[in-house]
Amino acid sequence: MSKQELVVLGQDDQSAGCCPGMLTAPLDEDQAADLAKIFKALGDPVRLRLLSLIASRAGGEVCVCDLTPAFELSQPTISHHLKLLRQAGLIDCERRGTWVYYWVLTDTLDQLSTFLTTTHKAEATA
Amino acid sequence: MSKQELVVLGQDDQSAGCCPGMLTAPLDEDQAADLAKIFKALGDPVRLRLLSLIASRAGGEVCVCDLTPAFELSQPTISHHLKLLRQAGLIDCERRGTWVYYWVLTDTLDQLSTFLTTTHKAEATA
C-alpha cells in the first residue's frame, strides 16, 4: 500500500467539509468535538517536537530509530506520544522490516491551518 | 486604550519570530513549550466554540452577554474558559460599563496557522 493511499483513506471524514475557517461561522458541537481532539494531541511539547521532526524531514518520512535519540525519554514514552498523534489523524506509519516509518498527514494539518486562518491580519501588524 | 494597542502589546513576544512553519526546521524545546500551551487551550470543545463565536462575529468583538446564552453552562464556567483562552493569548477583552467585550488576537492565530501550514497539500488531494 502506498503512502498516498494511506493519506487519502485515513482522512476521508475530516476532509469532507468539517470545520471551515473560524471567521466563516461558529462551530457546531460535533465540529468542535472533532477539532478539540486534534488540538489536544498538539497540546504537549514532546508531541509538537515529534511532529515537527517528522514534518521537517527531507523526503517526508522518518524512521522511529531517528526520532528516539532526539529526546531524553524512553522508547515506550516516545511510542505512546506517537500513538496519540496517530490517533488524532496527524501522522501515520508503516512497518518495513525492523523499523516503523512515520509521516505527517497533510490533510489534517491543512484543515487545522484553515480553521485558524484570519483575514484581518494586516490590521494587527505593529 | 484602543483595541489595536492591546493586540500589539499583548503579542510582542510571540510575534518576534517564534515558531516558523513546521516544515522549515524542528521546534526547539522552548518553542514547543510555548506552542503547546496555546494548542492545549484549543483542546476543548467549549473553548473552540467560544473562540469561533468571537472570531465569526461581524465587527470583530462580542459582548459576554451574547456568549453565555449559546451554551448550557453556567456563567462562571464560561468565564473560566474565556480566562484560559485569554491566558493563552488567543483572545483579549475590555470592560465597558456593565459588560465585558471579547475579540480574537489574530497574531496568535496566524502564528499557529503558519506553524501548521504544509507545502505539499496538492499531493494529498483525493
Side-chain angles (χ1 to χ4, degrees):
Chain A
M1 188 185 293
S2 78
K3 192 169 101 179
Q4 191 53 49
E5 283 168 341
L6 282 170
V7 170
V8 173
L9 289 172
Q11 294 307 105
D12 270 358
D13 292 340
Q14 290 173 342
S15 62
C18 169
C19 318
M22 70 163 75
L23 291 170
T24 313
L27 292 174
D28 65 32
E29 288 188 38
D30 289 341
Q31 289 173 328
D34 289 344
L35 268 181
K37 284 179 197 163
I38 311 174
F39 281 124
K40 197 170 181 181
L42 294 174
D44 178 276
V46 172
R47 289 198 290 278
L48 277 183
R49 287 179 62 207
L50 280 167
L51 188 68
S52 74
L53 269 171
I54 297 168
S56 63
R57 179 61 63 104
E61 65 176 33
V62 55
C63 173
V64 68
C65 58
D66 291 327
L67 291 173
T68 312
F71 298 86
E72 292 181 358
L73 296 167
S74 70
Q75 174 64 50
T77 300
I78 297 292
S79 293
H80 173 70
H81 285 301
L82 288 168
K83 184 181 170 189
L84 292 180
L85 287 172
R86 197 175 164 211
Q87 287 174 339
L90 288 158
I91 61 172
D92 207 346
C93 67
E94 186 176 55
R95 176 176 290 278
R96 292 182 213 136
T98 308
W99 300 111
V100 179
Y101 293 79
Y102 289 87
W103 57 89
V104 295
L105 293 179
T106 54
D107 278 3
T108 307
L109 294 171
D110 290 329
Q111 175 194 334
L112 298 183
S113 181
T114 299
F115 171 70
L116 294 166
T117 299
T118 61
T119 54
H120 40 286
K121 189 176 181 177
E123 297 172 13
T125 304
Chain B
M1 187 184 292
S2 78
K3 193 169 100 176
Q4 191 53 47
E5 283 167 341
L6 281 170
V7 170
V8 174
L9 288 171
Q11 294 306 104
D12 270 358
D13 291 341
Q14 289 172 341
S15 61
C18 169
C19 318
M22 69 164 73
L23 290 170
T24 314
L27 292 173
D28 65 33
E29 290 188 37
D30 289 342
Q31 289 172 327
D34 288 345
L35 269 180
K37 284 180 197 164
I38 310 175
F39 282 124
K40 196 170 181 180
L42 293 174
D44 178 275
V46 172
R47 289 199 289 278
L48 276 182
R49 287 179 63 206
L50 279 167
L51 189 67
S52 74
L53 270 172
I54 297 168
S56 62
R57 180 60 64 102
E61 65 177 34
V62 54
C63 173
V64 69
C65 57
D66 291 327
L67 291 173
T68 311
F71 299 86
E72 291 182 357
L73 295 167
S74 68
Q75 174 63 49
T77 300
I78 296 292
S79 292
H80 173 70
H81 285 301
L82 288 168
K83 184 181 169 188
L84 293 180
L85 287 172
R86 199 177 163 208
Q87 286 174 339
L90 287 159
I91 61 172
D92 207 347
C93 66
E94 186 176 56
R95 176 176 289 278
R96 293 183 212 135
T98 307
W99 300 109
V100 179
Y101 292 80
Y102 288 87
W103 58 89
V104 295
L105 293 179
T106 54
D107 278 1
T108 307
L109 294 170
D110 290 329
Q111 175 194 335
L112 298 182
S113 181
T114 299
F115 171 70
L116 294 166
T117 299
T118 62
T119 54
H120 39 285
K121 188 175 183 178
E123 297 171 13
T125 305

